[in-house]
Amino acid sequence: CGRCRRAAYCGPEHQALDWRRGHRRSCGQHAAGDDSADAIPEHNEFLFPEYEILIEPEEPEFPADSTDDEQGAVDTLKDVKDQEELGAAGIADDTLQSLDEETLEAMAKHETEEEKIFRMFKKQIAAEPEQIIRYCRGGEGPLWVSGENRPEEKDIPNCVCGAKRMFEFQIMPQLLNHLHVDSLGESIDWGTLVVYTCADNCGGGNEYLEEFIWKQDYSMGST
């Protein structure tokens, strides 16, 4: 805050929100440097909680030293699950027979594509359900939650230095479980947030550089 020099903000939107929430009444009431407890109110009603982020490499689904017996056990479980799904599909056959062939074809094509992508997404994060960030600069692309609303190369603007931007990390929807945002009176939701940064890793001195983020929501076909 440029007036009291005691409240710190991450941006102008944050400052404007705090001003409406009560800082306008407390700002300037105490001299700069006054450390009394009631000089600046606690902002717990809208500040995000702070946590430590642990960085760990992602383990492969089947390690190289896994035995054939272990792989066979997984395959057996998969076969059982497939049989259960086939049985459930048989129950629904009578209902689907009432639909015309063109409708069934359209449904199957759309659902197969979206469900496959979403199933792969869930399978990948199942090993680490609390994962909130996936970092892989210059490697594989992001883990998409849907086949819809994916950016093309032309959708990713170049850096201010003129270099192309590349995928660096993505923010997973599990982070929403740790953020207490209901007190803001607004809903925050996403499927994944993908961050693209300068491929040349240009420096901005001591200043932050603006990068590009792509927000992908869950598809209506995701279940």
Side-chain angles (χ1 to χ4, degrees), residues 22-97:
H23 187 61
R24 71 169 72 196
R25 294 187 297 272
S26 59
C27 184
Q29 291 182 0
H30 299 267
D34 185 359
D35 294 329
S36 58
D38 60 346
I40 298 296
E42 294 292 334
H43 306 307
N44 294 332
E45 68 230 35
F46 67 90
L47 283 182
F48 294 146
E50 296 183 7
Y51 299 95
E52 177 184 7
I53 299 178
L54 301 180
I55 303 175
E56 298 179 353
E58 187 172 62
E59 298 294 336
E61 183 179 3
F62 298 110
D65 58 351
S66 61
T67 65
D68 293 338
D69 291 340
E70 292 173 340
Q71 180 65 52
V74 173
D75 291 340
T76 300
L77 290 174
K78 183 178 183 298
D79 291 340
V80 172
K81 183 177 181 180
D82 289 343
Q83 292 177 4
E84 293 176 349
E85 291 178 350
L86 286 174
I91 297 175
D93 280 346
D94 293 339
T95 302
L96 295 179
Q97 286 177 359

Side-chain angles (χ1 to χ4, degrees), residues 3-16:
R3 183 180 179 186
C4 66
R5 304 287 182 181
R6 298 193 66 242
Y9 304 103
C10 60
E13 293 83 3
H14 186 172
Q15 183 176 7

